[in-house]
mmCIF file of all heavy atoms in Angstrom:
data_model
loop_
_atom_site.group_PDB
_atom_site.id
_atom_site.type_symbol
_atom_site.label_atom_id
_atom_site.label_comp_id
_atom_site.label_asym_id
_atom_site.label_seq_id
_atom_site.Cartn_x
_atom_site.Cartn_y
_atom_site.Cartn_z
ATOM 1 N N GLU H 556 5.389 2.976 18.410
ATOM 2 C CA GLU H 556 5.305 1.504 18.313
ATOM 3 C C GLU H 556 3.983 1.027 18.811
ATOM 4 O O GLU H 556 3.437 0.036 18.321
ATOM 5 C CB GLU H 556 6.469 0.906 19.050
ATOM 6 C CG GLU H 556 7.851 1.234 18.402
ATOM 7 C CD GLU H 556 8.975 0.661 19.254
ATOM 8 O OE1 GLU H 556 8.754 0.343 20.436
ATOM 9 O OE2 GLU H 556 10.128 0.559 18.677
ATOM 10 N N TYR H 557 3.535 1.754 19.831
ATOM 11 C CA TYR H 557 2.210 1.332 20.497
ATOM 12 C C TYR H 557 1.065 1.571 19.451
ATOM 13 O O TYR H 557 0.085 0.772 19.479
ATOM 14 C CB TYR H 557 2.015 2.188 21.819
ATOM 15 C CG TYR H 557 0.664 2.004 22.371
ATOM 16 C CD1 TYR H 557 0.326 0.798 23.142
ATOM 17 C CD2 TYR H 557 -0.317 2.998 22.371
ATOM 18 C CE1 TYR H 557 -0.916 0.681 23.713
ATOM 19 C CE2 TYR H 557 -1.494 2.827 22.896
ATOM 20 C CZ TYR H 557 -1.828 1.720 23.598
ATOM 21 O OH TYR H 557 -3.097 1.515 24.216
ATOM 22 N N LEU H 558 1.136 2.611 18.641
ATOM 23 C CA LEU H 558 0.101 2.906 17.807
ATOM 24 C C LEU H 558 0.170 2.316 16.419
ATOM 25 O O LEU H 558 -0.752 2.231 15.637
ATOM 26 C CB LEU H 558 0.001 4.461 17.582
ATOM 27 C CG LEU H 558 -0.298 5.370 18.782
ATOM 28 C CD1 LEU H 558 -0.263 6.840 18.427
ATOM 29 C CD2 LEU H 558 -1.712 4.975 19.324
ATOM 30 N N ALA H 559 1.328 1.735 16.095
ATOM 31 C CA ALA H 559 1.613 1.379 14.732
ATOM 32 C C ALA H 559 0.698 0.185 14.283
ATOM 33 O O ALA H 559 0.326 0.133 13.125
ATOM 34 C CB ALA H 559 3.081 0.947 14.577
ATOM 35 N N ASP H 560 0.307 -0.698 15.188
ATOM 36 C CA ASP H 560 -0.490 -1.881 14.801
ATOM 37 C C ASP H 560 -2.022 -1.508 14.676
ATOM 38 O O ASP H 560 -2.802 -2.332 14.323
ATOM 39 C CB ASP H 560 -0.420 -2.913 15.850
ATOM 40 C CG ASP H 560 1.026 -3.542 15.855
ATOM 41 O OD1 ASP H 560 1.725 -3.494 14.759
ATOM 42 O OD2 ASP H 560 1.441 -3.987 16.942
ATOM 43 N N ARG H 561 -2.327 -0.254 14.977
ATOM 44 C CA ARG H 561 -3.796 0.121 14.980
ATOM 45 C C ARG H 561 -4.317 0.558 13.604
ATOM 46 O O ARG H 561 -5.461 0.511 13.326
ATOM 47 C CB ARG H 561 -4.111 1.226 16.072
ATOM 48 C CG ARG H 561 -3.833 0.772 17.459
ATOM 49 C CD ARG H 561 -4.016 1.899 18.461
ATOM 50 N NE ARG H 561 -3.813 1.477 19.823
ATOM 51 C CZ ARG H 561 -4.634 1.023 20.575
ATOM 52 N NH1 ARG H 561 -5.938 0.808 20.120
ATOM 53 N NH2 ARG H 561 -4.364 0.582 21.777
ATOM 54 N N VAL H 562 -3.357 1.039 12.746
ATOM 55 C CA VAL H 562 -3.792 1.629 11.394
ATOM 56 C C VAL H 562 -2.809 1.067 10.364
ATOM 57 O O VAL H 562 -1.721 0.577 10.605
ATOM 58 C CB VAL H 562 -3.792 3.127 11.353
ATOM 59 C CG1 VAL H 562 -4.920 3.667 12.254
ATOM 60 C CG2 VAL H 562 -2.435 3.606 11.925
ATOM 61 N N GLU H 563 -3.298 1.236 9.097
ATOM 62 C CA GLU H 563 -2.377 0.799 7.998
ATOM 63 C C GLU H 563 -1.097 1.745 7.834
ATOM 64 O O GLU H 563 -0.099 1.242 7.500
ATOM 65 C CB GLU H 563 -3.153 0.636 6.759
ATOM 66 C CG GLU H 563 -4.272 -0.395 6.785
ATOM 67 C CD GLU H 563 -5.021 -0.597 5.431
ATOM 68 O OE1 GLU H 563 -4.265 -0.625 4.371
ATOM 69 O OE2 GLU H 563 -6.247 -0.618 5.407
ATOM 70 N N ILE H 564 -1.414 3.036 7.948
ATOM 71 C CA ILE H 564 -0.460 4.038 7.792
ATOM 72 C C ILE H 564 -0.409 4.913 8.995
ATOM 73 O O ILE H 564 -1.456 5.528 9.381
ATOM 74 C CB ILE H 564 -0.779 4.861 6.463
ATOM 75 C CG1 ILE H 564 -0.657 4.061 5.208
ATOM 76 C CG2 ILE H 564 0.260 6.057 6.367
ATOM 77 C CD1 ILE H 564 -1.102 4.777 3.977
ATOM 78 N N LEU H 565 0.745 5.055 9.629
ATOM 79 C CA LEU H 565 0.951 5.981 10.740
ATOM 80 C C LEU H 565 1.964 7.079 10.373
ATOM 81 O O LEU H 565 3.084 6.630 9.864
ATOM 82 C CB LEU H 565 1.398 5.173 11.965
ATOM 83 C CG LEU H 565 1.787 6.054 13.174
ATOM 84 C CD1 LEU H 565 0.537 6.713 13.751
ATOM 85 C CD2 LEU H 565 2.385 5.189 14.288
ATOM 86 N N VAL H 566 1.570 8.254 10.471
ATOM 87 C CA VAL H 566 2.524 9.374 10.111
ATOM 88 C C VAL H 566 2.719 10.196 11.422
ATOM 89 O O VAL H 566 1.686 10.632 12.048
ATOM 90 C CB VAL H 566 1.828 10.216 8.980
ATOM 91 C CG1 VAL H 566 2.761 11.358 8.618
ATOM 92 C CG2 VAL H 566 1.478 9.477 7.794
ATOM 93 N N PHE H 567 4.002 10.474 11.711
ATOM 94 C CA PHE H 567 4.238 11.284 12.868
ATOM 95 C C PHE H 567 5.488 12.234 12.514
ATOM 96 O O PHE H 567 6.265 11.906 11.639
ATOM 97 C CB PHE H 567 4.560 10.466 14.064
ATOM 98 C CG PHE H 567 5.906 9.756 14.123
ATOM 99 C CD1 PHE H 567 6.950 10.314 14.798
ATOM 100 C CD2 PHE H 567 6.081 8.608 13.355
ATOM 101 C CE1 PHE H 567 8.200 9.711 14.812
ATOM 102 C CE2 PHE H 567 7.313 7.913 13.369
ATOM 103 C CZ PHE H 567 8.369 8.550 14.054
ATOM 104 N N THR H 568 5.526 13.290 13.211
ATOM 105 C CA THR H 568 6.571 14.305 12.953
ATOM 106 C C THR H 568 7.649 14.164 14.151
ATOM 107 O O THR H 568 7.325 13.872 15.266
ATOM 108 C CB THR H 568 6.052 15.774 13.016
ATOM 109 O OG1 THR H 568 5.424 16.008 14.237
ATOM 110 C CG2 THR H 568 4.967 15.948 11.891
ATOM 111 N N THR H 569 8.921 14.386 13.766
ATOM 112 C CA THR H 569 9.968 14.158 14.687
ATOM 113 C C THR H 569 11.161 15.067 14.265
ATOM 114 O O THR H 569 11.114 15.585 13.113
ATOM 115 C CB THR H 569 10.401 12.725 14.764
ATOM 116 O OG1 THR H 569 11.396 12.570 15.797
ATOM 117 C CG2 THR H 569 10.953 12.146 13.452
ATOM 118 N N TYR H 570 12.066 15.267 15.177
ATOM 119 C CA TYR H 570 13.285 16.059 14.897
ATOM 120 C C TYR H 570 14.471 15.164 14.536
ATOM 121 O O TYR H 570 14.509 14.026 14.905
ATOM 122 C CB TYR H 570 13.594 16.943 16.148
ATOM 123 C CG TYR H 570 12.537 17.986 16.330
ATOM 124 C CD1 TYR H 570 11.587 17.683 17.320
ATOM 125 C CD2 TYR H 570 12.569 19.147 15.690
ATOM 126 C CE1 TYR H 570 10.542 18.617 17.623
ATOM 127 C CE2 TYR H 570 11.668 20.156 16.027
ATOM 128 C CZ TYR H 570 10.608 19.885 16.900
ATOM 129 O OH TYR H 570 9.609 20.864 17.175
ATOM 130 N N PRO H 571 15.478 15.720 13.888
ATOM 131 C CA PRO H 571 16.671 14.836 13.536
ATOM 132 C C PRO H 571 17.398 14.271 14.728
ATOM 133 O O PRO H 571 17.902 13.260 14.640
ATOM 134 C CB PRO H 571 17.609 15.929 12.773
ATOM 135 C CG PRO H 571 16.587 16.962 12.257
ATOM 136 C CD PRO H 571 15.512 17.050 13.312
ATOM 137 N N GLU H 572 17.333 14.952 15.921
ATOM 138 C CA GLU H 572 18.012 14.498 17.021
ATOM 139 C C GLU H 572 17.250 13.395 17.758
ATOM 140 O O GLU H 572 17.833 12.684 18.616
ATOM 141 C CB GLU H 572 18.303 15.640 18.036
ATOM 142 C CG GLU H 572 16.996 16.358 18.539
ATOM 143 C CD GLU H 572 16.581 17.545 17.646
ATOM 144 O OE1 GLU H 572 17.128 17.603 16.526
ATOM 145 O OE2 GLU H 572 15.851 18.314 18.202
ATOM 146 N N ASN H 573 15.981 13.161 17.353
ATOM 147 C CA ASN H 573 15.224 12.089 18.022
ATOM 148 C C ASN H 573 15.768 10.748 17.437
ATOM 149 O O ASN H 573 16.300 10.599 16.435
ATOM 150 C CB ASN H 573 13.758 12.199 17.784
ATOM 151 C CG ASN H 573 13.200 13.355 18.507
ATOM 152 O OD1 ASN H 573 12.465 14.193 17.900
ATOM 153 N ND2 ASN H 573 13.462 13.513 19.783
ATOM 154 N N THR H 574 15.432 9.683 18.264
ATOM 155 C CA THR H 574 15.856 8.297 17.894
ATOM 156 C C THR H 574 15.379 7.929 16.501
ATOM 157 O O THR H 574 14.165 8.138 16.233
ATOM 158 C CB THR H 574 15.411 7.343 18.942
ATOM 159 O OG1 THR H 574 15.833 7.711 20.202
ATOM 160 C CG2 THR H 574 15.811 5.925 18.622
ATOM 161 N N THR H 575 16.219 7.302 15.775
ATOM 162 C CA THR H 575 15.820 6.809 14.437
ATOM 163 C C THR H 575 15.547 5.354 14.549
ATOM 164 O O THR H 575 16.226 4.487 15.221
ATOM 165 C CB THR H 575 16.977 7.068 13.439
ATOM 166 O OG1 THR H 575 17.238 8.374 13.375
ATOM 167 C CG2 THR H 575 16.546 6.424 12.061
#
Side-chain angles (χ1 to χ4, degrees):
E556 292 175 347
Y557 174 74
L558 297 174
D560 294 334
R561 297 178 180 269
V562 290
E563 296 184 46
I564 298 175
L565 176 64
V566 180
F567 74 99
T568 59
T569 184
Y570 292 96
E572 60 269 19
N573 290 130
T574 301
T575 302

